[in-house]
Structures are given as C-alpha cells and as structure tokens.
Amino acid sequence: MWRNTQRGWGIVSILLHWLSAVAIIGLFALGWWMTGLGYYDPWYNQGPWVHRSIGILLLFATLARLVWRLFQPTPRLEGRRLEVVAAHLGHIGLYAAVLLVMISGYLISTANGRGVSVFGWFEVPALLQNYPNQASLAGDVHWYSALTLMLLAAGHTLAALKHHWFNRNKTLVRMMNPRHAQRSTRGIN
C-alpha cells in the first residue's frame, strides 16, 4: 500500500520515516566525530563534504515528507488523550528541530558565499551570505538544535517502544508494516 489510511502508514511514509531516522543519527554521529578531526586528518575535508551532502538530501526529503503528509490522511493515534497531545507536540517538535538543524547547517556552509555541492551531482546556491557572524551564529544554532533533535528522537523512540511493549498496541508495527494501511481499505480488522 503506497498511501496512508486512517488505520496505517503507507510505504512512502514508512520509507521516508526510516531513511530520515538513519540519516539523522548518522549525521549526528558524523558531526560529532568531525569535531575531533585534526587538520592533517584525511577526513578533515571529506567528512564535512559528506555531512553537507547528506544534510541537503535530508532537507529535500524532509520537505517532500511534509508535502506528502499534507495530502495524506494521518493514521489515528493510539493512547489516552494526554498521550495523543504529547505525540502531536512531539511530532511538531521533531519536524521543527530537523528543519532548524538543516537550515542552520546550510547557513554555516554558505556563509562564505559559495554554494553547497551535493556529492558533485548538483550545487545548492548560497541564497543568504555575508551576514555578520553568520557561520558562528548558525553554528551555535546547529549544535544546540541537533542536541535537541537527538533528545526528541530518543523520546520518540522510547514512546514507540512503550506503546509496543507495555500498551501492546500497533503504534510501532504500523510504522514498520504498510499492510496495516491496506487492511483498512479492505475492511479487515
């Protein structure tokens, strides 16, 4: 099932979710590792290039995910009222943090007026540049929003595991198996 239903997530949403999760964790680990690289380390230039390239692709994937979500139904959240409200706020926080991390990373990378090469495939031009302390301010925002994103992602993961192991509902399974979306279209419970 490609599309979402009221009962479950479609394959497009599932793939975007898990690819984003892997990219976010990988980017955070790579970014943390890069801070310890010395000038003569062979990855001193290669690490940031890979980091920027994946970051731009993740930004595009996040924008596509938001557009996809606008035109797709959102499966009903399971849990008590407070859990549903917390889930909505958590999802908003996750999207906001992802966008803040990606935009601030872009502003760091383009502060010198040069665009961002994405694996040599294409270049994203520098739209904003040469603002006073742009790289430094964007760097602070990038770091703290990345930490915030990791905390929100950890909370998101723990909540999904709680729903799976303690509440024994289908919250986690629906994000792994698009057949739950398909069942609602056939009327199977």
Side-chain angles (χ1 to χ4, degrees):
M1 190 73 165
W2 291 99
R3 300 172 60 102
N4 301 345
T5 66
Q6 290 295 320
R7 182 157 177 154
W9 299 100
I11 192 73
V12 173
S13 294
I14 291 170
L15 284 174
L16 286 169
H17 174 271
W18 291 109
L19 288 173
S20 296
V22 168
I24 288 166
I25 293 166
L27 284 169
F28 186 79
L30 178 58
W32 190 296
W33 176 72
M34 287 183 332
T35 61
L37 294 177
Y39 182 76
Y40 295 105
D41 192 294
W43 277 89
Y44 183 78
N45 290 312
Q46 190 72 13
W49 182 70
V50 170
H51 187 83
R52 285 189 299 267
S53 294
I54 295 172
I56 291 292
L57 292 176
L58 178 61
L59 176 60
F60 291 155
T62 301
L63 295 174
R65 187 174 175 186
L66 287 169
V67 169
W68 180 255
R69 192 169 173 138
L70 284 174
F71 297 104
Q72 293 294 302
T74 301
R76 188 181 60 79
L77 294 172
E78 299 183 39
R80 287 180 253 130
R81 174 105 175 108
L82 183 60
E83 290 175 318
V84 170
V85 170
H88 279 298
L89 293 174
H91 287 115
I92 290 168
L94 282 166
Y95 279 115
V98 167
L99 290 172
L100 193 56
V101 170
M102 298 303 127
I103 292 168
S104 61
Y106 167 79
L107 291 173
I108 296 166
S109 300
T110 58
N112 61 5
R114 285 183 275 155
V116 178
S117 170
V118 179
F119 293 118
W121 301 333
F122 61 92
E123 185 171 299
V124 178
L127 300 175
L128 300 171
Q129 70 225 15
N130 299 321
Y131 287 98
N133 299 320
Q134 178 178 332
S136 180
L137 292 172
D140 288 343
V141 171
H142 192 68
W143 173 247
Y144 290 111
S145 59
L147 289 175
T148 300
L149 176 57
M150 287 297 102
L151 290 172
L152 288 170
H156 181 71
T157 302
L158 290 173
L161 292 173
K162 177 230 178 237
H163 279 280
H164 186 73
W165 294 109
F166 294 106
N167 299 103
R168 301 212 182 270
N169 62 33
K170 302 293 182 198
T171 299
L172 181 60
V173 174
R174 289 188 313 181
M175 189 45 80
M176 298 173 87
N177 186 348
R179 285 183 279 184
H180 283 278
Q182 190 174 24
R183 286 184 183 143
S184 69
T185 61
R186 293 183 182 170
I188 299 171
N189 290 326

